[in-house]
Amino acid sequence: MSAQLSYRLERAAQKKGFAVHYSGYNLCTPSGQIVKLFHTLVHLPRGYGASFVPRQAPEADGISWHIDIRRNDGVVRTGWVNGMTLRRQEGGEDEWVIFFNGEPLSAERIASLFVELEKPGPSGLHLAITRMWIVRFGRMPFELAQALEVITHVDHLDLIYDALLDQRKRSLIEDLLRNPPPVHALARYLAAIPRD
């Protein structure tokens, strides 16, 4: 099914002029079965790329397998944050269906997903903060990425970026993202944040 997903993504990408690369690898499941999974990379405009990556094992329920969707610049959006799920159809032992946002995957759904994936990522300080977060802590959690996306006050963004550069504690930087201090108190707030 992950190979079939690669072919479906490739077909939709060809219609938009996007290049696609995919690679297969073997994996041993917890039950001892050897399965071949396919990881797909869709090259989007402006240098972005979207990866469709099956997880290393089926879900605990034994009847579903999750496929993560990730963009190479670390941007996460509501439209794809939950990825896709490969689920066994009721009553059919070998009948599997890929679901996206609760509905069976279709050509129309793939096309709308590509539109979402194509949207530009953050620029300026938003991008710098995202990159610095990745360097220090790895992938930014979705809720924090959403919080960052809506911050518009430049001094607040400066404060977050400086806190990341100055090796301030992760928990306090997270608090700064979630609960912005009053604009007039930004400088005092940074001075009070302890270093790691």
Side-chain angles (χ1 to χ4, degrees):
M1 290 301 294
S2 63
Q4 186 185 98
L5 174 62
S6 291
Y7 300 143
R8 293 174 77 178
L9 293 170
E10 181 181 46
R11 179 66 183 137
Q14 285 172 341
K15 292 178 180 179
K16 294 180 74 72
F18 300 162
V20 174
H21 290 92
Y22 48 88
S23 57
Y25 53 95
N26 292 327
L27 188 70
C28 183
T29 66
S31 64
Q33 281 185 302
I34 301 292
V35 294
K36 186 159 191 148
L37 298 179
F38 284 81
H39 163 266
T40 307
L41 172 64
V42 178
H43 297 273
L44 303 167
R46 303 181 191 91
Y48 303 134
S51 296
F52 296 78
V53 186
R55 291 193 179 161
Q56 294 296 304
E59 300 302 302
D61 61 14
I63 58 167
S64 62
W65 203 307
H66 195 77
I67 300 166
D68 291 310
I69 302 173
R70 299 179 186 148
R71 220 168 79 161
N72 63 348
D73 58 355
V75 168
V76 182
R77 291 206 167 95
T78 309
W80 75 81
V81 67
N82 294 321
M84 297 178 177
T85 305
L86 175 60
R87 284 203 302 258
R88 193 175 276 165
Q89 287 279 67
E90 288 184 22
E93 198 170 303
D94 294 322
E95 292 294 317
W96 292 81
V97 176
I98 297 173
F99 287 84
F100 175 60
N101 288 337
E103 299 290 330
L105 188 63
S106 63
E108 294 78 21
R109 288 189 172 277
I110 293 173
S112 66
L113 170 60
F114 281 178
V115 169
E116 284 293 309
L117 287 167
E118 281 181 78
K119 288 181 180 175
S123 61
L125 276 172
H126 289 89
L127 180 58
I129 288 168
T130 302
R131 287 178 173 163
M132 184 56 67
W133 181 281
I134 290 169
V135 166
R136 286 201 55 202
F137 307 122
R139 186 171 294 273
M140 183 179 278
F142 176 58
E143 52 133 348
L144 293 181
Q146 277 191 313
L148 175 61
E149 205 168 274
V150 299
I151 297 172
T152 56
H153 197 284
V154 177
D155 288 338
H156 185 192
L157 292 168
D158 273 337
L159 176 61
I160 295 166
Y161 189 63
D162 289 345
L164 283 163
L165 284 176
D166 289 344
Q167 302 290 310
R168 305 302 172 106
K169 289 185 178 294
R170 175 176 173 156
S171 60
L172 293 169
I173 298 170
E174 286 184 11
D175 186 55
L176 192 54
L177 281 162
R178 290 189 185 103
N179 308 303
V183 173
H184 65 275
L186 285 172
R188 249 189 350 260
Y189 186 91
L190 181 58
I193 297 177
R195 297 177 186 276
D196 283 349

